[in-house]
Amino acid sequence: MTSPLPSAADPSVLDLAPVLPVVVLADAADAVPLARALVAGGLPAIEVTLRTPAALEAIRAIAGEVPDAVVGAGTVVTPQQVDAVTAAGARFLVSPGWTEALLTAMRASGVPFLPGVSTASEVVALLERGVREMKFFPAQAAGGTAYLRSLAGPLPQARFCPTGGIGPATAPEYLSLPNVGCVGGSWMVPADAVADRDWGRIEELARAAAGLRDAGGTCR
């Protein structure tokens, strides 16, 4: 990430676990038990996407009540959202893409951020601006592991969290790449389990996802 977590000794968000859960919540009341299940399963970094009206309150609840979680905001696309989510307690930011205005706001926020890229030109543009860690999105549609492997040679200083179309079967191949720190995905938080408030099932799925580090991943 481009700026440190609250303690300089803390690792990058890319290094906390092999998988970054991408969470969509319709009810903020589910945020805390969901976050506790993910943390118990070994996935402390949690991306709550700004796709529902409940997202800000969910971030605020996790930040205030689940101290072992590192909660971040996803689908951040405007400077105004940057201000709102950091005020709610988000400890990192994730965007599907970037503009100069958004990048400036994310940098000024003082928290780590992953701007989204899908082309070599976008990666080079961010490297020119001092950004080394990025979200590769939409990963499968944008070329998948073959594309990322091709980027590793000419642009070895860039590290990625690929997200989009990745599941437990494909995650290990991504994690085996030298320029991938972790992958983003939602398979450990299936909509039916959230709707049923089946936190035990989510904890089990999170534990399996956390174990992908031992299935060929290199999440350093």
Side-chain angles (χ1 to χ4, degrees):
M1 295 273 181
T2 54
S3 60
L5 287 166
S7 166
D10 287 340
S12 162
V13 172
L14 269 67
D15 297 324
L16 292 177
V19 178
L20 175 62
V22 178
V23 175
V24 181
L25 284 171
D27 187 345
D30 294 332
V32 167
L34 174 63
R36 286 174 175 158
L38 291 171
V39 170
L43 301 181
I46 302 167
E47 175 189 337
V48 177
T49 67
L50 300 182
R51 301 180 191 177
T52 67
L56 276 179
E57 186 56 37
I59 291 169
R60 188 175 292 109
I62 295 170
E65 299 184 45
V66 192
D68 292 333
V70 179
V71 63
T75 323
V76 177
V77 295
T78 70
Q80 293 76 20
Q81 288 177 328
V82 171
D83 293 339
V85 299
T86 52
R91 294 176 61 188
F92 64 94
L93 311 171
V94 184
S95 66
W98 64 279
T99 65
E100 290 292 351
L102 181 58
L103 189 66
T104 297
M106 290 193 294
R107 194 186 296 274
S109 72
V111 301
F113 56 92
L114 288 172
V117 297
S118 61
T119 70
S121 294
E122 291 171 325
V123 175
V124 171
L126 285 176
L127 290 173
E128 284 183 349
R129 291 159 174 78
V131 179
R132 298 272 185 282
E133 298 188 355
M134 313 165 195
K135 171 180 177 173
F136 181 61
F137 176 83
Q140 287 289 90
T145 55
Y147 195 92
L148 286 170
R149 189 177 294 110
S150 297
L151 290 179
L155 301 170
Q157 64 271 53
R159 291 183 73 210
F160 301 95
C161 174
T163 305
I166 299 173
T170 54
E173 184 178 0
Y174 279 95
L175 292 167
S176 72
L177 300 177
N179 55 351
V180 169
C182 65
V183 300
S186 58
W187 72 86
M188 76 299 302
V189 284
D192 61 333
V194 176
D196 293 340
R197 294 178 168 83
D198 190 348
W199 312 128
R201 177 184 171 199
I202 288 173
E203 181 178 339
E204 290 177 5
L205 290 169
R207 185 169 291 109
L212 291 174
R213 184 191 305 276
D214 302 320
T218 60
C219 188
R220 300 172 304 281

